Amino acid sequence: MRRNVALIGFMGAGKTTVGRILAERLGMGFVETDELVEEIAGKPIPRIFEEDGEERFRELEAEAVRRASSMRGVIISCGGGVVLRSRNVEALRRTCVIVYLKTSPEEAYRRTLGDEYRPLLKVGDRMARIRELLSMREPLYRSSADIVVETDGLSPEEVADRVIRALGGVLREGGRRQERG
Ligand code: S3P
């Protein structure tokens, strides 16, 4: 039974902000895989990358996804790289309606300006890095999602409105998956 909602998408898509609004409006709980990772590791994400490497971070993230997807009645804000492992997506599919919050590279760039907390964006040419990562991940976000919601130029409240409307459609279909293409 799909009792949760998972938000996926690139860094800066608004998963956390929109997720909190959705939780409030739908009377659901809220959980973030990034926060669970930090809890399990006992240290912040930049330190995990620095001291243990990205691969270790991905292992912790897989454990966080497993824990989050076994919860009930929660909005799960997923780290941007959760779709890189098919097992994560399978775990989420079992209990969640998966919503892709879509952003253009330009908007992702603007929304992560001055960000010191995302190790993958600590590079000279952030725009090039964003384009590269996003073009690699876009097909994964799309194929993992039940619902795709555009976020460019919208406030978090407006995005939340759209998610709620789209969720209504999926739920009315009796949980049947929307066609994906
Ligand atoms: C990552 C996204 C981050 C965090 C980590 C790696 C990624 O989460 O999990 O820095 O690979 O895209 P947000 O998408 O919440 O920023």
Side-chain angles (χ1 to χ4, degrees):
M1 225 270 279
R2 295 195 291 160
R3 58 199 183 213
N4 303 315
V5 175
L7 302 179
I8 61 169
F10 200 69
M11 295 173 269
K15 292 163 292 184
T16 300
T17 314
V18 172
R20 286 188 193 283
I21 296 171
L22 287 173
E24 174 86 29
R25 286 176 52 182
L26 298 173
M28 295 172 78
F30 176 77
V31 62
E32 271 185 295
T33 61
D34 282 350
E35 226 175 84
L36 288 175
V37 164
E38 295 189 332
E39 226 175 86
I40 300 167
K43 56 183 165 184
I45 288 173
R47 266 187 56 206
I48 303 173
F49 271 77
E50 213 177 285
E51 295 171 9
D52 313 311
E54 179 172 350
E55 196 44 38
R56 175 69 186 143
F57 170 79
R58 297 297 171 203
E59 280 164 23
L60 294 165
E61 183 170 61
E63 173 59 18
V65 168
R66 204 187 56 73
R67 289 190 194 181
S69 54
S70 70
M71 295 177 185
R72 286 174 185 273
V74 288
I75 306 286
I76 305 172
S77 167
C78 296
V82 148
V83 293
L84 296 173
R85 289 196 173 186
S86 57
R87 278 233 199 117
N88 291 339
V89 177
E90 284 159 22
L92 292 170
R93 279 213 176 113
R94 279 195 280 276
T95 65
C96 307
V97 177
I98 303 180
V99 180
Y100 170 28
L101 299 185
K102 187 173 171 4
T103 39
S104 63
E106 293 77 16
E107 184 92 39
Y109 180 85
R110 272 194 297 277
R111 292 195 196 146
T112 55
L113 265 182
D115 186 335
E116 288 296 309
Y117 210 75
R118 291 171 166 116
L120 294 181
L121 299 184
K122 280 193 135 182
V123 292
D125 191 344
R126 282 177 57 248
M127 191 64 210
R129 167 58 66 88
I130 289 172
R131 280 189 198 288
E132 175 200 359
L133 288 174
L134 194 50
S135 69
M136 192 189 82
R137 291 178 181 182
E138 171 75 14
L140 297 174
Y141 291 136
R142 277 193 178 279
S143 65
S144 306
D146 297 294
I147 294 168
V148 180
V149 173
E150 297 281 344
T151 71
D152 278 16
L154 298 178
S155 69
E157 285 76 15
E158 288 169 325
V159 175
D161 286 341
R162 291 188 181 200
V163 173
I164 289 173
R165 268 205 302 278
L167 281 174
V170 168
L171 298 176
R172 267 195 302 280
E173 285 178 10
R176 186 165 62 80
R177 246 154 228 291
Q178 287 185 333
E179 277 301 304
R180 291 195 296 264

